[in-house]
Amino acid sequence: MQSKDYTPWYISPKRSCQLSDFDTAPPSKERPSDSELDDHLVDMGEKLNKLQSTLHAAKSKGLLVVFQGMDTAGKDGVIRSVFSHVSPLGVRAEAFGVPTELDSRHDFLWRIHAKAPALGEMVIFNRSHYEDVLVTRVRGLIDEKTCQKRLDNILHFESLLQDAGITVLKCYLHISKSEQKKRLQARLDDPRKHWKLQASDFEDRALWPKFTQAYEAAMGATSTPESPWYVVPADNKSYRDSFVAGLIVQTLENMKLKTPKPTFDLSKVKLA
Ligand code: ATP
C-alpha cells in the first residue's frame, strides 16, 4: 500500500455525508496484494510503536482514536491487529456499552471524558460518545432536539480536547450489508463464536437504513479539520487494518512530536 493520501476517504467538514459515495471494498485499481498489505501493516506497526514512545516521552500531546461501525464491522479486530506492535504500556483501550444506571444520571459525556487521554497518552475508543447520537436516535430513546443539542455538545467537547493538546481521529469502519450477513452467518455457524452474538445484532440489522442515516447525520455534523471522520473500507480485513494503521501513523507524524531534551548535562555523567 503506497498511497499516503487519505483524502478520498475524508468526510469534508460540515458537509452532508452520503455513505453510498464510499466503497466498502478496497479500490480495484492498484489494489495491493495480500503480502504487500501484511508488510505494510508490520511496517506501520513498528512506526506506530516508535511514535507512541515519543508521544509518551514528550507528554506535550495526546491522541484519541475513535472506532465506530455497524455490528461486525471489525472494531475489535482492527484494534487487535493495528496495536499488536505497540507496547501494552503505551496504549489504553476503552469500550463503551449500554450506560450504567450511574452513567445515565450524568450528562452523556461524563463517562467519556473520564476515559479521555491525558497528554502523553494514546487511547482507543471501541464505540464512544457517538452511540449517544446513533443507537439512541435510531431506537427513539432521544428526540430530535436532544440529538441536535448532543451533536453541538460533541463538537464543543472535541474542541475542548483539541485545545488541551489532544488530537481526535475518528474512523468509521464501512462494511456492506452483504458482508455483515456473511459475518453474522459465520458466527451462527461456529459454536465458538456464539458468545459474540446478541439479539440486538439482528434487530439492528433490520434497522440498517436508519443506522446509515444516523451515521451520515452524525459524521456530517462533526467532521472538522481538527477532528476529522474517515470512512475506512472494511469489507476486506487486511486492507482495513493496513488502512487504519497508515492513517494513525500519518496522524501522529502530523503532530510533529519531539523527544524532550535531557534535564541535566549528560556530558558530566561519569559511570563508575
Ligand atoms: P460490540 O457489539 O461493540 O462488539 P459487545 O457485544 O461486547 O461489543 P457491549 O460492550 O456489551 O457489546 O455493548 C455494546 C452495545 O452497547 C451496543 O449494542 C451499543 O449500541 C450499546 N451502547 C453503547 N453506548 C450506548 C449508549 N450511549 N446508549 C445506548 N446503548 C449504547
Side-chain angles (χ1 to χ4, degrees), residues 41 152-153 224 252 269:
L41 184 60
D152 284 344
N153 293 147
T224 63
L252 282 163
V269 176

Side-chain angles (χ1 to χ4, degrees), residues 3-155:
S3 171
K4 278 195 126 197
D5 180 11
Y6 294 97
T7 331
W9 295 279
Y10 173 70
I11 296 183
S12 302
K14 294 284 199 169
R15 285 283 190 74
S16 65
C17 148
Q18 290 279 315
L19 278 172
S20 54
D21 291 344
F22 295 92
D23 279 333
T24 56
S28 46
K29 228 172 91 184
E30 293 172 31
R31 180 182 171 159
S33 67
D34 283 353
S35 71
E36 280 172 327
L37 288 172
D38 289 348
D39 291 349
H40 182 258
L41 184 60
V42 171
D43 194 27
M44 289 300 109
E46 283 163 7
K47 277 195 174 155
L48 190 53
N49 193 35
K50 285 192 187 130
L51 286 159
Q52 182 281 321
S53 265
T54 314
L55 181 81
H56 169 74
K59 292 203 175 31
S60 55
K61 294 180 182 172
L63 177 65
L64 172 61
V65 187
V66 171
F67 289 108
Q68 287 285 161
M70 303 284 197
D71 289 318
T72 75
K75 298 182 291 298
D76 296 6
V78 83
I79 292 168
R80 192 169 42 241
S81 304
V82 171
F83 295 93
S84 62
H85 291 269
V86 180
S87 162
L89 289 170
V91 64
R92 172 159 62 85
E94 303 287 354
F96 294 94
V98 178
T100 63
E101 197 270 334
L102 179 63
D103 293 334
S104 307
R105 285 193 282 127
H106 285 86
D107 68 86
F108 76 101
L109 290 170
W110 177 74
R111 66 174 183 157
I112 307 290
H113 205 166
K115 306 286 184 183
L119 297 177
E121 271 195 308
M122 178 156 67
V123 174
I124 308 157
F125 278 2
N126 182 346
R127 300 189 187 268
S128 66
H129 41 303
Y130 283 95
E131 291 295 326
D132 294 281
V133 289
L134 291 166
V135 67
T136 46
R137 185 179 213 176
V138 170
R139 291 190 172 272
L141 304 174
I142 55 168
D143 59 24
E144 276 308 296
K145 196 168 154 226
T146 307
C147 186
Q148 291 309 323
K149 277 229 161 232
R150 285 187 176 185
L151 288 169
D152 284 344
N153 293 147
I154 288 174
L155 277 175

Side-chain angles (χ1 to χ4, degrees), residues 72 183-184 187-188 193-199 201-202:
T72 75
R183 293 184 187 182
L184 285 173
R187 288 183 187 181
L188 284 168
K193 291 187 177 167
H194 284 176
W195 67 272
K196 287 190 177 185
L197 291 167
Q198 292 185 13
D201 296 344
F202 302 95

